[in-house]
Amino acid sequence: MNQHRSGPVRSAAAREAVLAATTRLFHEQGYDKLTIEGIAREAGVGKQTIYRWWSSRGAVIADCLTEGRLFLVEFEVPNTGELLRDIEHWLTTVLTILEARNGGELVRSIVAAAAEDPAVGDGLSESLGVERSLTARLAVAVREGQLPADAPIEQIGDAIFGAIIVRSLSRKSDSGESLRQLVRFLFTPTGRQGGAEAPTRRT
Amino acid sequence: MNQHRSGPVRSAAAREAVLAATTRLFHEQGYDKLTIEGIAREAGVGKQTIYRWWSSRGAVIADCLTEGRLFLVEFEVPNTGELLRDIEHWLTTVLTILEARNGGELVRSIVAAAAEDPAVGDGLSESLGVERSLTARLAVAVREGQLPADAPIEQIGDAIFGAIIVRSLSRKSDSGESLRQLVRFLFTPTGRQGGAEAPTRRT
Amino acid sequence: MNQHRSGPVRSAAAREAVLAATTRLFHEQGYDKLTIEGIAREAGVGKQTIYRWWSSRGAVIADCLTEGRLFLVEFEVPNTGELLRDIEHWLTTVLTILEARNGGELVRSIVAAAAEDPAVGDGLSESLGVERSLTARLAVAVREGQLPADAPIEQIGDAIFGAIIVRSLSRKSDSGESLRQLVRFLFTPTGRQGGAEAPTRRT
Amino acid sequence: MNQHRSGPVRSAAAREAVLAATTRLFHEQGYDKLTIEGIAREAGVGKQTIYRWWSSRGAVIADCLTEGRLFLVEFEVPNTGELLRDIEHWLTTVLTILEARNGGELVRSIVAAAAEDPAVGDGLSESLGVERSLTARLAVAVREGQLPADAPIEQIGDAIFGAIIVRSLSRKSDSGESLRQLVRFLFTPTGRQGGAEAPTRRT
DNA sequence: TCTTAAGCGAGACGGTACGTCATGTCTTAAA
DNA sequence: TTTAAGACATGACGTACCGTCTCGCTTAAGA
């Protein structure tokens, strides 16, 4: 039924060595210094073995990404019942991790990889727990009435993630205060529609 | 007293040729295919002339960016008095231009450049008119009471721009409907907090 | 019918396939383009099967050589009783065959193989019929008094063969006239010792 | 009058380093172990510098050959007036040098190079002094009547050289006795046709 | 007006990495 | 147990760019 193929099978050891080496080099040197030859050298693997199984260095990174090798923590959004506080907590954690290196180099590297390779782009937002975790928390908020029923929660997640990226690309470093302002604006019940009448309603 | 210097001064023609060639190649092939040697060849210029005046290919791109060579239109946000409609109009225009090429290649190229080079990152959001134009429109909205006085308009701009980037990196193509949902959420007067009773419940 | 059992049954077929494929590729592409992998592919044989039986590509060629697969004709030297005419006839035949390809490529290929691999060198001169046939003819000449009894016939054979090789390596193409001059010098009864006294002795 | 060409000129140092390294490696390891990368490494030169000026490793060897770097001595044929003795002397010298290494490896290497590359073939026989020196000595012999006026001296030179090659390819090692037999046959005044009585017997 | 030093095009240089190919050893599944 | 198929580490191939460094010219300011 299935097409038969004889011969040796893919070496699990080689695959593991490549992904491990890639992760190591990616963290140490960033995406633009990452080379196929460097990975092969570090992994003790032939170049051809990499080319046999991955189409580009981006594809290798994408595999690392989807296996959770690049971000070693789960960016879980807590659920205390108070949306804004939960999101702010999550934001602080995320920023701490992402900027632990040298000023957001990690974000820029992953963005560069995503810009170059479709496969990386696919696993991008999900890998940060944005989709899996942040969106889930927002869904809860919708269910509990903290957000309107028609709130585009996925797009809101993208917007927050996008703001993090933009901030990182601009090399701003304000300890995340500006991002905190953003989420406060987004999730403060008084909403953003201020103006003349809003303040009165707000008091 | 003054440092003596004889000889010719920087050639305006060479500078123009380099920037023009860079713009051309950037649009034709994208950032990752862009090379110093390619620019020099295309511009009919010596490599050293480029290295004399720019520190990297990123710096050349940054110059193109700040001179408005990469995006040939001004992304002006109209002001009809109705904020949401204006933003949606601007969004449609921006997406039309950015995706005219092959599926957001243009955005990804500029993002890659920004991820690699600080100078590009600096001029990034501004170059798209996000800062100059979108933020200005939001400031007007604040003044006119369509947004609360403490709305972090710059961060909102970044969030929208960031959402565009994230969408582009993920290679989604839904004609911008998801982004339109986002701005509708952000700028609809009814706000996003779920219905009439939610605020009361909070107090 | 023979598909029935395991063991060395297939061996003979594999051996034949390898030698046939090698011969084909050698003639089509020359020695330097000849590869083990290419032979295996062409023969429909595993690489290991080749390595099991032969130590190198030179060894495969050597087998082809000793089995007469590389030169499909026998370079028989005729025996009409007239030595010079016989040799010249043989020479013409040999050159016709050897240069039929593209300007002596065949000779150069076999020489390259011989230079690289001892086994090929061993079978070299013999394979062209130099030893078996030319030397035999010279031996007859010695017996019949057309050559002196102590003529080093094997060395003479080597010299003629060597001259062919040198000519081929130098890429000269004079339709063999220069070689014909050589054999005329070697086998003309008047000998090569010209000068004043020799002709007189000759008359 | 002459076409002007700006820009830097070929580096004599790089050229020298390449040829010196090639000569060294050729003697140490033979032609088949000789690689462009090896030469570049040994010479402390970029690979591209080699490819810029030579079309193949054969071309580099050819340059070494024509500059007399591969054979460090001049194979001068003496002229004592006695042809055979002179040639035998030359032959002894040549064989001593050529087989000093490991059993004719040097000859086989140069032959392999010549078989692969036309340029090497061109400079081949000349480089050994066959053309320049041996042929010159034979020409003298013709003038002095030791050889007939119409003796094809160039072909005789090729034949001797070719016999050396064939001997080397066959890995024979008899201290050159067989070759000495050949030249004795060629240059002994009594000629090679079997004595005084043989012709008569033949008629 | 003449000197002179910088800018310019061109491109050679020592390097690094690319993606491909072949080597010789090894492992697997089928016959 | 041999075979074909082919994965593996190794290493050379020839190409493209990197950033630096001459070249020989053109050119403009200062003497």
Side-chain angles (χ1 to χ4, degrees):
Chain A
M1 183 164 301
N2 198 353
Q3 190 72 345
H4 165 62
R5 203 188 56 78
S6 119
V9 95
R10 177 170 190 178
S11 158
R15 179 175 192 278
E16 172 57 30
V18 167
L19 295 181
T22 301
T23 303
R24 216 174 312 135
L25 293 173
F26 183 83
H27 280 127
E28 283 167 8
Q29 311 177 329
Y31 182 67
D32 57 338
K33 297 271 175 69
L34 192 70
T35 66
I36 298 281
E37 296 211 332
I39 296 172
R41 216 180 298 128
E42 179 84 8
V45 139
K47 263 202 296 183
Q48 197 62 43
T49 298
I50 299 181
Y51 282 112
R52 190 174 301 119
W53 301 111
W54 290 277
S55 60
S56 64
R57 73 180 170 154
V60 187
I61 282 291
D63 263 20
C64 292
L65 199 57
T66 58
E67 296 195 4
R69 290 166 184 264
L70 298 187
F71 306 107
L72 300 175
V73 293
E74 276 295 313
F75 296 116
E76 208 59 48
V77 185
N79 185 352
T80 65
E82 203 171 336
L83 179 60
L84 178 56
R85 181 203 295 229
D86 291 350
I87 299 291
E88 282 195 282
H89 182 83
W90 170 87
L91 187 63
T92 302
T93 308
V94 166
L95 289 180
T96 303
I97 306 265
L98 292 185
E99 312 212 327
R101 307 275 154 195
N102 31 5
E105 175 61 36
L106 185 51
V107 182
R108 283 193 297 274
S109 269
I110 200 74
V111 167
E116 192 175 297
D117 196 288
V120 180
D122 284 345
L124 182 59
S125 55
E126 188 212 359
S127 81
L128 280 173
V130 169
E131 193 140 32
R132 207 172 41 253
S133 182
L134 178 56
T135 307
R137 181 63 186 82
L138 294 181
V140 169
V142 166
R143 267 204 306 282
E144 297 185 350
Q146 292 158 331
L147 286 178
D150 61 347
I153 55 180
E154 204 172 317
Q155 279 69 43
I156 295 172
D158 283 357
I160 294 174
F161 186 33
I164 294 174
I165 289 175
V166 168
R167 178 168 166 280
S168 176
L169 293 180
S170 304
R171 268 85 170 169
K172 292 176 201 157
S173 260
D174 59 351
S175 309
E177 181 48 34
S178 63
L179 288 170
R180 227 166 279 121
Q181 285 178 19
L182 176 65
V183 300
R184 243 176 263 138
F185 169 77
L186 285 172
F187 302 123
T188 295
T190 55
R192 37 121 197 88
Q193 64 287 42
E197 71 281 18
T200 62
R201 194 193 286 168
R202 211 175 124 229
T203 30
Chain B
M1 195 122 311
N2 196 356
Q3 195 72 343
H4 165 63
R5 210 188 51 79
S6 96
V9 94
R10 177 168 190 178
S11 157
R15 179 174 193 279
E16 174 55 30
V18 167
L19 295 181
T22 301
T23 302
R24 216 174 311 134
L25 293 174
F26 183 84
H27 280 128
E28 282 167 9
Q29 312 177 328
Y31 182 68
D32 57 337
K33 297 269 175 71
L34 192 70
T35 66
I36 297 282
E37 296 209 333
I39 296 171
R41 213 180 302 127
E42 179 85 7
V45 139
K47 270 204 293 181
Q48 196 60 271
T49 299
I50 300 181
Y51 282 110
R52 196 177 351 256
W53 302 111
W54 291 277
S55 61
S56 64
R57 74 179 169 157
V60 187
I61 281 292
D63 264 20
C64 291
L65 199 56
T66 57
E67 295 196 4
R69 290 167 183 263
L70 299 188
F71 305 108
L72 300 175
V73 294
E74 275 296 312
F75 296 116
E76 209 57 49
V77 185
N79 185 352
T80 66
E82 204 172 336
L83 179 59
L84 178 56
R85 179 203 296 230
D86 291 350
I87 299 291
E88 283 194 281
H89 181 83
W90 170 84
L91 187 61
T92 303
T93 308
V94 166
L95 290 181
T96 303
I97 305 269
L98 292 185
E99 313 212 327
R101 307 274 155 194
N102 33 3
E105 176 61 34
L106 185 51
V107 183
R108 284 193 297 275
S109 266
I110 201 75
V111 167
E116 193 175 296
D117 196 287
V120 180
D122 285 344
L124 180 60
S125 54
E126 187 211 359
S127 80
L128 281 172
V130 169
E131 194 140 32
R132 206 171 42 252
S133 181
L134 177 56
T135 307
R137 180 63 184 85
L138 294 181
V140 168
V142 166
R143 265 203 308 280
E144 297 185 351
Q146 292 158 332
L147 286 178
D150 60 348
I153 54 178
E154 203 171 318
Q155 279 69 44
I156 295 172
D158 283 357
I160 295 174
F161 185 33
I164 294 174
I165 289 175
V166 168
R167 178 168 167 279
S168 176
L169 293 180
S170 302
R171 268 87 171 168
K172 292 175 200 157
S173 261
D174 58 352
S175 309
E177 181 50 34
S178 65
L179 288 170
R180 229 167 276 121
Q181 284 179 18
L182 176 67
V183 300
R184 245 177 262 135
F185 169 77
L186 286 172
F187 302 123
T188 294
T190 55
R192 36 124 196 84
Q193 58 282 64
E197 70 281 17
T200 62
R201 191 192 288 169
R202 189 179 145 244
T203 30
Chain C
M1 189 159 294
N2 54 359
Q3 208 64 319
H4 175 49
R5 215 176 37 81
S6 79
V9 173
R10 184 96 176 88
S11 293
R15 188 185 133 82
E16 172 56 30
V18 167
L19 295 181
T22 301
T23 303
R24 215 175 311 133
L25 293 173
F26 182 84
H27 280 127
E28 283 167 8
Q29 312 176 330
Y31 181 68
D32 55 338
K33 298 269 175 72
L34 191 71
T35 65
I36 298 281
E37 296 210 332
I39 295 171
R41 212 180 303 128
E42 178 86 7
V45 138
K47 270 201 295 180
Q48 196 60 266
T49 301
I50 299 181
Y51 282 111
R52 198 170 356 251
W53 288 346
W54 292 276
S55 60
S56 64
R57 75 179 170 157
V60 187
I61 281 290
D63 263 22
C64 292
L65 198 56
T66 58
E67 296 194 5
R69 290 167 183 264
L70 299 188
F71 305 107
L72 301 174
V73 294
E74 275 296 311
F75 295 117
E76 209 58 50
V77 185
N79 186 351
T80 66
E82 203 171 338
L83 179 60
L84 178 56
R85 180 203 297 227
D86 291 350
I87 299 291
E88 282 194 284
H89 181 83
W90 170 86
L91 187 61
T92 302
T93 308
V94 166
L95 289 180
T96 303
I97 306 268
L98 292 185
E99 313 212 327
R101 308 274 153 193
N102 32 3
E105 175 62 35
L106 185 52
V107 182
R108 285 193 296 273
S109 269
I110 200 75
V111 166
E116 192 175 296
D117 197 288
V120 179
D122 285 345
L124 180 59
S125 53
E126 186 210 0
S127 80
L128 281 174
V130 170
E131 194 141 31
R132 206 169 44 250
S133 182
L134 178 56
T135 308
R137 180 62 184 85
L138 294 181
V140 169
V142 166
R143 266 203 306 281
E144 295 185 352
Q146 293 157 331
L147 286 178
D150 60 349
I153 54 179
E154 204 172 316
Q155 279 70 43
I156 295 173
D158 283 358
I160 295 174
F161 185 34
I164 294 174
I165 290 175
V166 168
R167 178 169 167 279
S168 176
L169 293 180
S170 304
R171 267 89 172 167
K172 292 175 199 157
S173 260
D174 59 351
S175 311
E177 181 48 33
S178 65
L179 288 169
R180 227 166 278 122
Q181 284 178 19
L182 176 66
V183 300
R184 241 176 265 137
F185 169 78
L186 285 171
F187 303 123
T188 294
T190 54
R192 34 118 197 91
Q193 67 286 42
E197 72 280 17
T200 61
R201 193 192 289 168
R202 196 176 138 239
T203 31
Chain D
M1 185 156 298
N2 200 353
Q3 190 72 346
H4 166 63
R5 205 187 53 79
S6 112
V9 96
R10 177 169 190 178
S11 157
R15 179 174 193 278
E16 174 57 29
V18 167
L19 295 181
T22 301
T23 303
R24 218 174 310 135
L25 293 172
F26 182 85
H27 280 128
E28 283 167 9
Q29 312 177 327
Y31 182 68
D32 57 338
K33 297 270 174 72
L34 192 70
T35 65
I36 298 281
E37 295 210 335
I39 296 171
R41 215 180 300 128
E42 178 84 6
V45 139
K47 263 204 292 183
Q48 198 61 263
T49 298
I50 299 182
Y51 282 110
R52 189 168 5 249
W53 301 110
W54 292 277
S55 60
S56 65
R57 72 180 171 156
V60 187
I61 282 292
D63 264 20
C64 291
L65 199 56
T66 58
E67 296 196 3
R69 290 167 183 263
L70 298 188
F71 306 107
L72 299 175
V73 293
E74 275 296 313
F75 296 115
E76 209 59 48
V77 185
N79 185 353
T80 65
E82 204 172 336
L83 179 60
L84 178 56
R85 179 204 298 229
D86 291 348
I87 299 291
E88 283 194 279
H89 181 84
W90 170 85
L91 186 62
T92 303
T93 307
V94 166
L95 289 180
T96 304
I97 305 264
L98 292 184
E99 312 212 329
R101 309 273 155 195
N102 32 4
E105 175 63 35
L106 185 52
V107 182
R108 284 193 297 274
S109 269
I110 200 74
V111 167
E116 193 175 295
D117 196 289
V120 180
D122 285 345
L124 181 60
S125 54
E126 187 211 358
S127 81
L128 281 172
V130 169
E131 193 139 33
R132 206 171 42 252
S133 182
L134 178 56
T135 308
R137 180 63 186 83
L138 295 181
V140 169
V142 167
R143 265 203 306 281
E144 297 184 353
Q146 292 158 331
L147 285 177
D150 60 349
I153 53 179
E154 205 172 317
Q155 280 69 44
I156 296 172
D158 283 356
I160 295 174
F161 185 34
I164 295 174
I165 289 175
V166 168
R167 178 169 166 279
S168 175
L169 293 180
S170 304
R171 268 88 171 168
K172 293 174 200 157
S173 260
D174 59 351
S175 310
E177 181 49 33
S178 64
L179 288 170
R180 227 167 276 121
Q181 285 179 20
L182 175 66
V183 300
R184 242 177 263 135
F185 169 76
L186 286 172
F187 302 123
T188 295
T190 55
R192 40 130 194 78
Q193 61 283 61
E197 71 280 14
T200 62
R201 191 192 290 166
R202 193 176 140 239
T203 29

